Amino acid sequence: EQQNSQKKVLMGKKYFNKETTIDINMKDFTAKNAFNFNRVDAEEYLLKNGAGKIRRIIGAYLEPPMNYAVDGTIQQGAINDDSDPGMPPKFITPQPLRTFTPDDLKHYEYPKFQTCKDLPAKLPIDRGLELYKNGTAIIWNVGNFETPENYTLDEAPFCPVDADPFLPWIHDVFPSHDGTVVEFIAHNRRRCKTGRKHRPDVLRMEPQVSLMQHVSVKRLTEVEASQLAPELWQSSTELEEKAYRYRLVPMEDASSDGKFTRFICRFYGTEFTTGKPRLVLLDENLSIYPYNYEFISYRKGKPTMITPKGRDNKYFWTSIIRFQCPVPENLQNIIKTGNSILSDGTPTLHVDLIPIRTPPRFGVDQMYLPEDMIGPPTMWQKTSLNNWGDKDKRSKGFNASEQWGLKNVLPRVEASGRWTNLPICQPSVLFEDEDHDDNAGSNSDIVKADKSILLKKMTEKPHLLSACLWASTTFRVRGGKSDGRKAVTDTGSRLREWIEFHLMVGFDHIYVFDNSGAHTNETSLAPIINDYPKSKISHIEWPSIICNNNIPAHDSAGERSSQYTAENSCRTRFAPFTEWIASFDTDEYLVPMGEHNDLRSVVIEAQKKGTNILTFRSSRGRLMYERSKDVEGGYREMLPNYTYIEAYNCDSSSIPKESWADRARKQIYRADYVPYHYVHYSTVTKGYMKEFKDDKSRWRPHYSDNTERVTDERSEAIMIHTKTTSPTDTTRWNKRCKFDFEKKWRGCSVGFAWPNGVVDSENNHTKEGFQYNCFMNERVENYWIGRLKEALKRRKNQYNDNNN
């Protein structure tokens, strides 16, 4: 009762919340309740009584952990030997039933989120911005500290995932543009702490990987469930007596929509037909995946999705947990149009998310995929993939009957850990022109719709080329200390130039995911973005904090959770509106070359030739000596009269760049062909998703996408990387840049261009003794810089005219 601050009694009795009641009418387990929603009645009640009696608070019920493994059988591998992944445990068979009662669950509420205006910025992801006394942001886990003893419960009031790792770490939730599914973008929180001091965390967070592995279930009647598992908690409420029940079963015995699932999705609506809010259970169904993670791992030739040691960050495709809840047909239109959202942004539709809990499956020997996906056993039983120390062993695959048993009935929802009251807001939309309505319930551009393309039937995608940008007014580079060292503060000045350049070279729309709120409460990127029409730039508040800002080579490898989820959210939200899409940074410029005067012609020609992914190799540009100045402290900074692409137009690599520049590549890719992109890589493509049944004669277990290629940097396009040089990068530059400086490993970050772009080993330095170390791009110098300055000038004049 202390935890239920709004006086909701849920466990074993019935819902009530002052004037809110719940109405249940699920007849014979198949009837779908209509949503009798009257907008006029709802708005009248809102005006008279306020929103407090209507809004549902996001909540989480935390289920105690269960031990699925035989004690002492798991081995995490030698602590100092990264080549030893450990050995998975022997699991208790059959899997024990979850016999918890509602009283065993801990309940937390997260009132920060109130309306659709708050989505996704105020989802319960982390503690939010915390500052040291000197005003700098606290960014946790930059070092490699052991997790405090009470960490999980200390974090639960802010985010419940560490305390119950079967709950997905949700960063965004939204309906698809056609209203058919609710999309969830979550991050695999197990990847946040993987160092030697985090071995207990790695074990505790294994369920995060389970969430990416499908299970198969069959619906039961209440009578069937009670007969099979009478020891499960029994409910006395009408809600639970009439709800669906489920049993874990082999795939061939599963319900048609239960063969590849992981979550139970319960849809609720708030009605006003009685003159006061009434919560109605509308329907319940099973989640689906947009792609099969286990199948993708197999197609990539990887032995497993998970290792006991947990140093699995190289498996990029396991970073994001993406899944969907199918929307009941009778709700799709009201969700698609956004008519269920009240005028103040209050949602009246919600979904509860109940994970189906099973331990993770390790390796090919526990692979749970049907033959029509991976072929007959002869194709995969004897495999070169690691079978945990026995490569001669024939893989059996996962035996569901043996592992789960014949009576593994899931507990009732009210005795299960779960997310509750997750809001169903409006699908993402686009503005057709600058005239738009700012009163559609959000200060974030992803949920406004009154004059949008969404409300018209799209016969073709409105955009050819779009960009996603995750950026902040200030931030710390990887490994940067929380005391402000290695802080970058020039994003604001960079952003105008970056936007102007990429609009100029043919991008139709740019989506800016603003991470400023993770670093400061004083500024954001909104004032800059507001100078541009909504039809060109969208601003999305995205203050979630990266969970690990270490460098990739750190013992506890860096994991930029905020960036990865932002990119996936952007692609998933806006892919329906664009043919090609890219994610890159404000210091990266995609520059048309040769006869191309924009990137549109580049992607159009590539598409005609069957290319789905264009890769831009990355090498750093150096701050040119002639375009920078000495600053007190012994370092150099850019002169104010130059643009960034101009000041850094001195690439450390000549054209064409060598293969070493692939590591930090960026890509433009077909939005429909790449359902999951991870920073530098198209990690899941339609090619990887092709199954054995699609082309039995030519199908091979391991796949490499042949529709991806590197751009021709002379005739198509190139990336100019203008990465900011921090003071420490150019300290003592006048010694470190000399041709006879002995400690070459210290490096020179100031650029001295080879004359005419030609390397001459006999004449390798200036008359002052500074070694030539970079190459000027003549196309940028003689064509693009002038046009960029003209565009910036026009924008400034337009801004001044609008404010006079």
Side-chain angles (χ1 to χ4, degrees), residues 62-104:
L62 313 188
E63 187 172 322
M66 281 191 65
N67 182 21
Y68 295 108
V70 176
D71 289 342
T73 60
I74 191 167
Q75 301 175 31
Q76 287 193 272
I79 192 168
N80 293 317
D81 182 2
D82 286 346
S83 66
D84 180 3
M87 289 286 288
K90 292 181 180 179
F91 290 107
I92 299 170
T93 55
Q95 178 180 310
L97 295 179
R98 294 155 51 205
T99 56
F100 301 115
T101 73
D103 292 330
D104 295 324

Side-chain angles (χ1 to χ4, degrees), residues 291-342:
Y291 40 83
N292 190 300
Y293 285 90
E294 200 166 13
F295 178 69
I296 294 299
S297 293
Y298 178 68
R299 290 282 270 162
K300 287 179 177 289
K302 301 303 179 183
T304 183
M305 290 176 61
I306 178 174
T307 66
K309 179 167 283 187
R311 302 175 79 82
D312 307 331
N313 291 47
K314 59 187 176 183
Y315 300 155
F316 304 129
W317 55 97
T318 66
S319 178
I320 298 298
I321 307 173
R322 184 182 160 206
F323 58 94
Q324 301 160 335
C325 284
V327 172
E329 189 174 349
N330 62 324
L331 298 179
Q332 291 177 9
N333 188 63
I334 194 171
I335 288 175
K336 179 176 67 175
T337 58
N339 287 333
S340 62
I341 304 168
L342 302 187

Side-chain angles (χ1 to χ4, degrees), residues 189-201:
R189 195 165 171 83
R190 186 182 191 242
R191 296 167 60 95
C192 294
K193 297 178 180 180
T194 58
R196 292 174 177 85
K197 295 182 179 180
H198 295 303
R199 286 160 77 93
D201 300 299

Side-chain angles (χ1 to χ4, degrees), residues 24-30 219-223 225 235 237-246 264 266 268 281 284 411-414:
I24 306 301
N25 183 26
M26 299 180 69
K27 297 179 180 177
D28 299 325
F29 306 96
T30 58
R219 284 187 180 84
L220 304 174
T221 66
E222 177 63 36
V223 172
S235 171
T237 69
E238 188 179 6
L239 167 64
E240 284 302 323
E241 289 171 357
K242 294 189 177 231
Y244 297 116
R245 300 299 303 276
Y246 304 89
I264 300 167
R266 272 193 170 180
Y268 292 91
L281 175 58
E284 178 179 299
R412 291 168 177 80
V413 167
E414 304 309 326

Side-chain angles (χ1 to χ4, degrees), residues 455-525:
L455 301 184
K456 298 181 180 180
K457 185 177 181 180
M458 289 193 300
T459 56
E460 61 182 25
K461 292 192 175 187
H463 293 161
L464 174 66
L465 183 59
S466 301
C468 302
L469 173 68
W470 175 79
S472 173
T473 53
T474 180
F475 64 94
R476 270 160 293 285
V477 300
R478 287 184 182 271
K481 305 296 183 181
S482 291
D483 59 7
R485 285 178 287 173
K486 291 193 175 181
V488 177
T489 59
D490 63 358
T491 303
S493 58
R494 280 180 172 273
L495 184 59
R496 289 186 189 277
E497 177 185 323
W498 186 89
I499 290 175
E500 207 64 59
F501 182 86
H502 289 97
L503 292 178
M504 181 177 65
V505 299
F507 278 89
D508 295 297
H509 202 95
I510 297 171
Y511 303 96
V512 181
F513 282 65
D514 188 352
N515 192 232
S516 300
H519 304 273
T520 177
N521 55 13
E522 296 179 355
T523 60
S524 79
L525 299 174

Side-chain angles (χ1 to χ4, degrees), residues 323-382:
F323 58 94
Q324 301 160 335
C325 284
V327 172
E329 189 174 349
N330 62 324
L331 298 179
Q332 291 177 9
N333 188 63
I334 194 171
I335 288 175
K336 179 176 67 175
T337 58
N339 287 333
S340 62
I341 304 168
L342 302 187
S343 57
D344 69 337
T346 298
T348 60
L349 287 172
H350 298 81
V351 61
D352 287 2
L353 197 64
I354 305 96
I356 299 171
R357 298 171 185 242
T358 62
R361 298 190 288 270
F362 290 81
V364 179
D365 202 39
Q366 295 183 21
M367 188 167 62
Y368 189 38
L369 298 171
E371 288 190 16
D372 60 358
M373 291 182 71
I374 59 173
T378 54
M379 296 187 72
W380 54 268
Q381 274 191 336
K382 187 73 177 291

Side-chain angles (χ1 to χ4, degrees), residues 10-28:
L10 181 62
M11 301 176 179
K13 296 183 180 179
K14 76 168 57 170
Y15 284 86
F16 71 89
N17 177 12
K18 295 184 180 178
E19 296 188 49
T20 303
T21 60
I22 185 166
D23 182 49
I24 306 301
N25 183 26
M26 299 180 69
K27 297 179 180 177
D28 299 325

